[in-house]
Amino acid sequence: MAASKKAVLGPLVGAVDQGTSSTRFLVFNSKTAELLSHHQVEIKQEFPREGWVEQDPKEILHSVYECIEKTCEKLGQLNIDISNIKAIGVSNQRETTVVWDRITGEPLYNAVVWLDLRTQSTVESLSKRIPGNNNFVKSKTGLPLSTYFSAVKLRWLLDNVRKVQKAVEEKRALFGTIDSWLIWSLTGGVNGGVHCTDVTNASRTMLFNIHSLEWDKQLCEFFGIPMEILPNVRSSSEIYGLMKAGALEGVPISGCLGDQSAALVGQMCFQIGQAKNTYGTGCFLLCNTGHKCVFSDHGLLTTVAYKLGRDKPVYYALEGSVAIAGAVIRWLRDNLGIIKTSEEIEKLAKEVGTSYGCYFVPAFSGLYAPYWEPSARGIICGLTQFTNKCHIAFAALEAVCFQTREILDAMNRDCGIPLSHLQVDGGMTSNKILMQLQADILYIPVVKPSMPETTALGAAMAAGAAEGVGVWSLEPEDLSAVTMERFEPQINAEESEIRYSTWKKAVMKSMGWVTTQSPESGIP
């Protein structure tokens, strides 16, 4: 019986999903896209000073190995032979910046996370050097100059961390986003590790020309980044190298996508105009714009969606980025202690069914799209003696939905064709109150796949479809149909509009909070 069970499954594909708050490893059946097993580990975030967000790159790497080993054990218990795993894909939190020593394999500083704000004064001094009539940074990268992207974080490390400066001088330093750090380490590290990234992750560094698809000399000079520390840029689907340790030694790593691109692929948004919204630490709405870069007039980013093979064409996307979504729930748990687990938020919100006029703007890292306002900070307003923790919980969920509405409105204005429904995924989508609220606030149906792990699925699809692996077909007729759950709007349009306009009033009140940045001091 066991033997026949093993034979039935056919080729499997694994996916590392390294997010801001947790690491997961998931294994899929490449023929049916069914999730067979997974393991998840939460990642610590360190806040050494106000506005600073760091993680330990070694803890991240260790969590990847732990998730792989534990998932393989679980597969063993299910009587599934792990030698059926033919490829591994990597999907990762984007922009987060690591510099490490290629001789020792040691990180030279903590990973500076995408949410981190320490580079605000770096951004201000750089923006003075961009000519008003020629924003070459925006036109080459598709991105606004912001603390969000890797180039300014790397500039800060080069200016403030002696170990990094010294390693660069001695030609020992390697830079990468999380995907590069993981792939280099998993493919051997100091013993021949492959130093590469893919086009989607490269497009978030602010050093990458999204038209020519290569590192840009002018941008590197502008930010003062030595080009020799940058990884080689590859497509999102090709064999980069083989796993050199652990239960899956010898298996090719053959897919790599920034998490939001991976979710776009996992939601099968391969046609122009198809879009998805992912609810993770932040919220990210991406719309496939095909082979051409569409530049936004409404505060959205232009980014590389995917390039699924060395000789395959590149696809672009418009992106609406919200910094704080799931992170607001984690904040209510860890900082305020009004819930013990993230799941409890639904129970609290359900008790009241309304925020009772309370509005929560979680601008912890300033405001991202569509405002790009670094001076904003979080506020809770409309409080009365009647307000309790349940109303605040409800307002936190509403905040996620209002922020999504703002980026959806911007997307509709840029694309000219309003979305008729919203495809959603990510950890928060298991919250039914949130999904219903989202449908009410957008006033269009919200559609969620029954298997919400679309980020990992996208990375697995890219890995399984790679040349030399070829176990996953991306032809439209071969993609398995996905069962969906629909949430229809249940309030009237007028009420939806009133709530949304009050939210916008609250957003205005959150702006201009930080006037002068505290000086950024160096680190010994």
Side-chain angles (χ1 to χ4, degrees), residues 280-309:
T281 297
C283 227
F284 300 90
L285 176 65
L286 270 73
C287 179
N288 189 330
T289 62
H291 302 311
K292 66 173 199 287
C293 294
V294 176
F295 283 86
S296 169
D297 297 319
H298 301 99
L300 303 181
L301 311 177
T302 304
T303 200
V304 175
Y306 52 81
K307 185 181 189 298
L308 295 172

Side-chain angles (χ1 to χ4, degrees), residues 324 436 453:
I324 304 291
Q436 186 55 52
E453 300 288 358

Side-chain angles (χ1 to χ4, degrees), residues 238-481:
E238 58 178 273
I239 295 175
Y240 313 110
L242 306 182
M243 288 284 286
K244 285 292 191 299
L248 299 179
E249 193 177 337
V251 177
I253 299 175
S254 53
C256 178
L257 289 154
D259 52 9
Q260 303 313 320
S261 287
L264 194 72
V265 171
Q267 286 262 30
M268 314 200 192
C269 297
F270 294 128
Q271 307 299 316
I272 294 179
Q274 283 188 302
K276 65 88 205 169
N277 195 36
T278 300
Y279 299 76
T281 297
C283 227
F284 300 90
L285 176 65
L286 270 73
C287 179
N288 189 330
T289 62
H291 302 311
K292 66 173 199 287
C293 294
V294 176
F295 283 86
S296 169
D297 297 319
H298 301 99
L300 303 181
L301 311 177
T302 304
T303 200
V304 175
Y306 52 81
K307 185 181 189 298
L308 295 172
R310 219 175 297 191
D311 306 320
K312 296 282 196 304
V314 66
Y315 280 74
Y316 295 95
L318 270 175
E319 170 175 319
S321 331
V322 169
I324 304 291
V328 75
I329 314 304
R330 192 166 170 167
W331 182 83
L332 290 173
R333 183 193 75 182
D334 297 348
N335 295 36
L336 291 198
I338 68 173
I339 48 175
K340 288 202 170 58
T341 66
S342 299
E343 292 68 43
E344 267 176 61
I345 187 105
E346 194 169 359
K347 210 164 75 220
L348 283 189
K350 207 172 190 161
E351 274 177 44
V352 285
T354 170
S355 62
Y356 208 79
C358 164
Y359 286 79
F360 188 163
V361 183
F364 300 160
S365 292
L367 287 165
Y368 283 15
Y371 303 102
W372 298 103
E373 187 43 78
S375 72
R377 286 296 177 271
I379 59 167
I380 301 177
C381 50
L383 299 173
T384 66
Q385 281 145 315
F386 185 76
T387 313
N388 65 31
K389 65 180 180 179
C390 299
H391 300 116
I392 290 173
F394 198 93
L397 294 181
E398 274 189 320
V400 174
C401 301
F402 286 132
Q403 292 184 103
T404 297
R405 163 103 190 240
E406 291 186 309
I407 52 179
L408 188 81
D409 284 359
M411 191 75 77
N412 287 340
R413 286 201 291 273
D414 277 325
C415 295
I417 310 157
L419 290 176
S420 57
H421 65 276
L422 182 64
Q423 279 177 241
V424 301
D425 58 80
M428 291 185 86
T429 59
S430 60
N431 184 323
K432 290 212 174 1
I433 288 188
L434 179 73
M435 293 296 96
Q436 186 55 52
L437 264 177
Q438 188 67 87
D440 291 345
I441 286 168
L442 297 178
Y443 218 67
I444 55 172
V446 167
V447 182
K448 115 182 224 232
S450 55
M451 201 288 293
E453 300 288 358
T454 45
T455 300
L457 178 60
M461 288 163 67
E467 194 183 327
V469 177
V471 297
W472 204 307
S473 167
L474 300 183
E475 296 306 318
E477 63 274 13
D478 296 327
L479 294 171
S480 29

